[in-house]
Amino acid sequence: DAGVIQSPRHEVTEMGQEVTLRCKPISGHDYLFWYRQTMMRGLELLIYFNNNVPIDDSGMPEDRFSAKMPNASFSTLKIQPSEPRDSAVYFCASSYSANEQFFGPGTRLTVL
Amino acid sequence: KQEVTQIPAALSVPEGENLVLNCSFTDSAIYNLQWFRQDPGKGLTSLLLIQSSQREQTSGRLNASLDKSSGRSTLYIAASQPGDSATYLCAVSPANQAGTALIFGKGTTLSVSS
């Protein structure tokens, strides 16, 4: 398996623009997680899905953030409008049942 | 609220040394604990997963132990090599929310000199 795939790997945008991050989980995994990593706060959960259904979005910072999982092989995280404080590395991870989580390479987002 | 702490934040050792990385968590009610490695600018690589019913797991030169009652885990690296240089992250999954998000420590950055 190719592992968790994320795109783009790097994104540079200007404040106010819409940003869409994409994730393809490992085939057969039923859980998908979106995390954000910053120097100040470390790694934090944004939202997670089970069988394509959002279960916990309490980590989503505000209404500017939204996430979808239209099918078992694809998820998006959207930020609209983006702000400089959204600059971070965004990771997608997947797991089968409640077991080991496997992480993608991350998307480094810079909002100018 | 579960909190995960890793001490020290950074560690430098000469090649060949055996070393221990520490992880502590405030709530002993965990489902499992996972150790990761992160290289600069890269994603997280899972090293070891310990279920709450287990005491330790081993993979090659790595051994992770878990003491739930005291809220501690250690990652033992034997015969360290320069290629082991990376940040090591500890994360726990709350017991009452199996399969949910991991709660991470801030990591220990290891540097092994040749």
Side-chain angles (χ1 to χ4, degrees):
Chain A
D1 200 313
V4 177
I5 299 173
Q6 291 187 246
S7 65
R9 295 292 309 277
H10 302 273
E11 177 81 29
V12 180
T13 190
E14 294 191 346
M15 183 174 64
Q17 296 299 305
E18 177 178 296
V19 175
T20 299
L21 311 181
R22 297 172 177 79
C23 175
K24 176 179 169 57
I26 293 172
S27 177
H29 282 189
D30 54 349
Y31 282 85
L32 183 139
F33 306 84
W34 283 101
Y35 292 89
R36 179 169 70 173
Q37 186 177 37
T38 62
M39 289 293 292
M40 288 295 294
R41 300 175 66 88
L43 266 160
E44 297 178 304
L45 173 76
L46 296 176
I47 185 171
Y48 80 93
F49 297 82
N50 178 217
N51 292 321
N52 313 337
V53 176
I55 304 299
D56 183 356
D57 66 353
S58 59
M60 297 285 260
E62 45 197 277
D63 292 345
R64 298 184 297 107
F65 286 68
S66 63
K68 294 182 180 179
M69 192 166 185
N71 57 61
S73 59
F74 184 66
S75 177
T76 61
L77 177 68
K78 187 174 293 187
I79 308 172
Q80 166 63 19
S82 59
E83 297 182 2
R85 60 192 167 119
D86 301 330
S87 297
V89 181
Y90 292 79
F91 288 104
C92 176
S94 70
S95 71
Y96 174 69
S97 187
N99 294 310
E100 192 174 6
Q101 291 189 23
F102 294 89
F103 280 67
T107 295
R108 184 173 296 276
L109 174 65
T110 302
V111 183
L112 304 174
Chain B
K1 177 186 173 186
Q2 178 75 271
E3 292 184 2
V4 180
T5 303
Q6 292 185 250
I7 295 173
L11 181 64
S12 293
V13 300
E15 181 177 7
E17 269 203 13
N18 302 324
L19 58 100
V20 173
L21 306 181
N22 296 297
C23 171
S24 62
F25 44 96
T26 54
D27 187 344
S28 62
I30 64 169
Y31 185 75
N32 60 39
L33 182 146
Q34 203 166 346
W35 281 94
F36 294 89
R37 168 186 173 137
Q38 185 174 29
D39 292 284
K42 304 290 186 182
L44 279 68
T45 300
S46 178
L47 297 173
L48 290 164
L49 172 73
I50 309 178
Q51 301 290 355
S52 61
S53 58
Q54 298 175 318
R55 296 283 294 180
E56 64 179 338
Q57 282 286 336
T58 298
S59 176
R61 295 182 294 109
L62 305 180
N63 176 277
S65 67
L66 174 63
D67 183 344
K68 251 192 356 173
S69 60
S70 67
R72 294 174 185 265
S73 176
T74 61
L75 180 67
Y76 175 83
I77 303 177
S80 58
Q81 303 171 358
D84 295 330
S85 298
T87 296
Y88 291 81
L89 294 157
C90 166
V92 300
S93 177
N96 60 344
Q97 304 168 55
T100 64
L102 294 171
I103 300 170
F104 283 85
K106 294 288 181 66
T108 294
T109 299
L110 173 65
S111 176
V112 181
S113 56
S114 56

